[in-house]
Amino acid sequence: MKKNLFKIALLSTAVMALTLGGCSNDSDSETTEPPVESDMRWISLTGSFPDANGTAGNGGTRAYAITEENAANPDYEVDLFKLNGAEYVQGFALKSSRTARVQASADGKFLYNIQYTGTEGGVFNKYSVSGAGQYEEVGFELNTATILGTAPRWVKAAEGIGVGVYYGEALPAFTGTAPNYVYQNPKGTIKIANIDLNNTAITNTGTINVDLGEYEAQGYYISRADVPVLNQAKTKLYIGVNVNRHNVNGTVTTNATTGVISGWETTDERNIGTVTYVVDYPSLRNAKIIISEKSKINNHGYRTMTQHLGTDGNIYQATATSGPDILRISKTTDEYDQNYHFNLDTALGMTGTSIKAWRYISNGLGVVLYTTSGSSGGYIALVNLNDLTATKLATDIESDAALSTTLGQFQNIGAIGNKVYIPLTPAGKDGNIYIIDVTTKQITKGAKLKAASGSFYLGAY
């Protein structure tokens, strides 16, 4: 099939120049827009739609591929959620019973996904991108569920390399019976799977037996692992974690009707810094934790990547999705650089910022999507991680309160060279692709994005 599509592509360049002027109204197959030559740089836009109960953005993920020219054209329109009866008209439905965690190759030719929950939860799929709604499943379909469960957290940890992680097998926080409960640390394990994205194969697996040392006696425990990334030398894998705290001296009660235990929450100020697990790569062994002294906020993200490899060889890690910090892990020591701390509040001269998604672009420059505690809406900033400064970039929809939902689930900021592509739609409302030139600090409004109730765009690749 791939050979046939390629032959068609060579014969249809002129046709594509006309047909890609706007989205067609065909079904998912979209046969009126044949694929073009293989060196076309596509930008895949993804969006989520509501589930059967109407929960916004929780029903699954759709994708649609456009050109850079289309993306920059404010008269071009993408209507990813348009319905004809109960059927979607535009784009392609990626396999997943809930919102997919989509990754992509750097050249935009492939999308990758591990299905999240449902009967096929844990199944890895790879798609080739041929424009519009034409995504073809390629390679082998891998079932990672036996290692990672049916709801794994995973990312592209380096080009061609995917890594999935899953926290589980936790002990109950209390033993005994009411009212004589005895606290025990949940501990648990972090399971890891290394995925060859080029050949769609699992190449290694590993397990971390969670141990926070002296902090466990204070009630600290890990409840989630996420966002693995490789260092420049591909010798270390860094895994972000969510650290919570039980009140080891609290009074524990049980709801007589539901049996739910309460009273374990603590309001004590956190005295442990941001925590990252490190293992050797590719062996996935010799686990240890590193702790930042510059932040006390978690780094595990929600549906967004919080860690990126910088062009200087260091890892830059945001305390997303609830903090203003970007921390640095040294390329020479594989430890946190305790002398480095970027704070978005300080850089913007304000308080209450919260990084929801971000991406390192190049040479210390990055783009941040953030909210603030002082106002509704969602905002964009260009950050300079070398001189610790930031520049707010205004959009005409930034004050829309519905952006807080969108940014809370945002997955990926697209980048081609010095151009950054952000599909920005308040939940359930229309929006646009916003294009940033990181060298000139200019932001422009590109293609129109049509949304629908309970739906929004959440990534560009």
Side-chain angles (χ1 to χ4, degrees):
M1 177 60 72
K2 286 189 290 185
K3 291 182 178 179
N4 290 338
L5 289 175
F6 184 69
K7 290 177 180 178
I8 294 171
L10 294 177
L11 296 173
S12 59
T13 304
V15 176
M16 284 301 297
L18 296 174
T19 59
L20 283 175
C23 299
S24 77
N25 291 325
D26 297 324
S27 64
D28 282 2
S29 63
E30 304 204 38
T31 55
T32 59
E33 297 189 37
V36 298
E37 65 273 17
S38 60
D39 62 350
M40 173 65 74
R41 195 357 172 147
W42 299 106
I43 299 173
S44 284
L45 305 175
T46 59
S48 61
F49 53 91
D51 60 21
N53 296 321
T55 304
N58 207 38
T61 303
R62 299 185 62 76
Y64 194 89
I66 63 176
T67 64
E68 294 177 73
E69 181 181 5
N70 295 150
N73 182 0
D75 294 323
Y76 185 87
E77 183 177 285
V78 178
D79 196 350
L80 189 55
F81 307 110
K82 184 177 181 179
L83 288 168
N84 181 9
E87 300 294 326
Y88 284 101
V89 174
Q90 303 292 339
F92 180 83
L94 300 174
K95 290 182 177 180
S96 193
S97 64
R98 284 184 58 189
T99 304
R101 275 202 168 197
V102 182
Q103 307 291 311
S105 59
D107 57 13
K109 295 183 186 301
F110 299 99
L111 293 189
Y112 317 105
N113 174 51
I114 296 181
Q115 297 183 51
Y116 191 79
T117 74
T119 57
E120 298 296 313
V123 173
F124 171 89
N125 304 102
K126 177 179 178 178
Y127 303 92
S128 65
V129 184
S130 297
Q134 296 181 107
Y135 292 80
E136 180 185 2
E137 194 169 342
V138 295
F140 299 103
E141 190 171 68
L142 302 176
N143 189 350
T144 70
T146 55
I147 306 161
L148 301 174
T150 59
R153 315 292 178 182
W154 92 284
V155 298
K156 184 182 75 172
E159 194 63 24
I161 301 172
V163 177
V165 293
Y166 174 74
Y167 172 82
E169 299 179 353
L171 300 171
F174 299 95
T175 61
T177 57
N180 300 313
Y181 290 111
V182 178
Y183 172 75
Q184 66 176 357
N185 195 280
K187 289 190 175 289
T189 61
I190 298 172
K191 295 183 178 180
I192 313 168
N194 190 75
I195 302 171
D196 181 341
L197 300 178
N198 297 322
N199 299 301
T200 57
I202 296 174
T203 58
N204 198 17
T205 63
T207 300
I208 298 172
N209 294 317
V210 169
D211 185 354
L212 291 179
E214 62 184 289
Y215 291 103
E216 291 186 354
Q218 301 174 43
Y220 289 105
Y221 66 100
I222 286 175
S223 61
R224 181 172 168 178
D226 206 346
V227 295
V229 69
L230 282 168
N231 66 347
Q232 187 177 49
K234 294 184 175 60
T235 57
K236 298 290 183 181
L237 181 72
Y238 303 97
I239 303 170
V241 294
N242 181 47
V243 177
N244 292 333
R245 191 178 189 183
H246 280 115
N247 183 356
V248 297
N249 299 313
T251 300
V252 180
T253 59
T254 304
N255 185 295
T257 303
T258 65
V260 173
I261 296 175
S262 61
W264 53 264
E265 301 90 347
T266 180
T267 57
D268 293 344
E269 183 178 356
R270 173 172 172 162
N271 61 2
I272 186 174
T274 303
V275 177
T276 295
Y277 253 107
V278 187
V279 295
D280 292 342
Y281 186 88
S283 69
L284 306 180
R285 296 178 179 175
N286 300 320
K288 70 172 187 176
I289 60 172
I290 58 175
I291 302 176
S292 170
E293 297 173 359
K294 297 299 182 180
S295 173
K296 295 179 180 179
I297 303 174
N298 290 320
N299 57 13
H300 63 286
Y302 180 60
R303 285 176 172 156
T304 190
M305 183 62 174
T306 64
Q307 305 190 91
H308 297 280
L309 175 64
T311 48
D312 59 4
N314 298 307
I315 299 291
Y316 290 87
Q317 178 191 89
T319 55
T321 55
S322 61
D325 311 295
I326 296 178
L327 311 172
R328 185 163 72 188
I329 299 174
S330 169
K331 69 175 180 179
T332 55
T333 66
D334 299 317
E335 301 273 352
Y336 276 110
D337 181 347
Q338 306 294 0
N339 295 314
Y340 183 88
H341 183 207
F342 175 91
N343 184 283
L344 189 60
D345 280 356
T346 302
L348 291 175
M350 59 188 303
T351 59
T353 63
S354 181
I355 298 172
K356 298 302 178 184
W358 86 289
R359 179 164 179 175
Y360 184 102
I361 305 303
S362 64
N363 301 317
L365 298 179
V367 173
V368 169
L369 306 184
Y370 68 99
T371 59
T372 72
S373 59
S375 61
S376 301
Y379 307 89
I380 302 174
L382 178 65
V383 299
N384 187 319
L385 301 176
N386 296 328
D387 61 20
L388 308 183
T389 59
T391 303
K392 179 181 176 297
L393 302 175
T395 69
D396 53 344
I397 58 173
E398 63 183 24
S399 61
D400 194 316
L403 276 175
S404 61
T405 299
T406 304
L407 266 57
Q409 297 195 40
F410 206 89
Q411 287 196 7
N412 196 72
I413 296 170
I416 303 175
N418 291 322
K419 293 288 182 66
V420 174
Y421 297 84
I422 303 174
L424 201 57
T425 54
K429 301 179 182 180
D430 297 347
N432 291 82
I433 298 174
Y434 290 86
I435 304 172
I436 301 167
D437 188 321
V438 297
T439 57
T440 64
K441 300 183 180 181
Q442 297 298 310
I443 184 169
T444 57
K445 188 162 66 171
K448 300 174 185 177
L449 303 176
K450 301 289 290 183
S453 177
S455 299
F456 45 87
Y457 294 75
L458 54 101
Y461 300 84

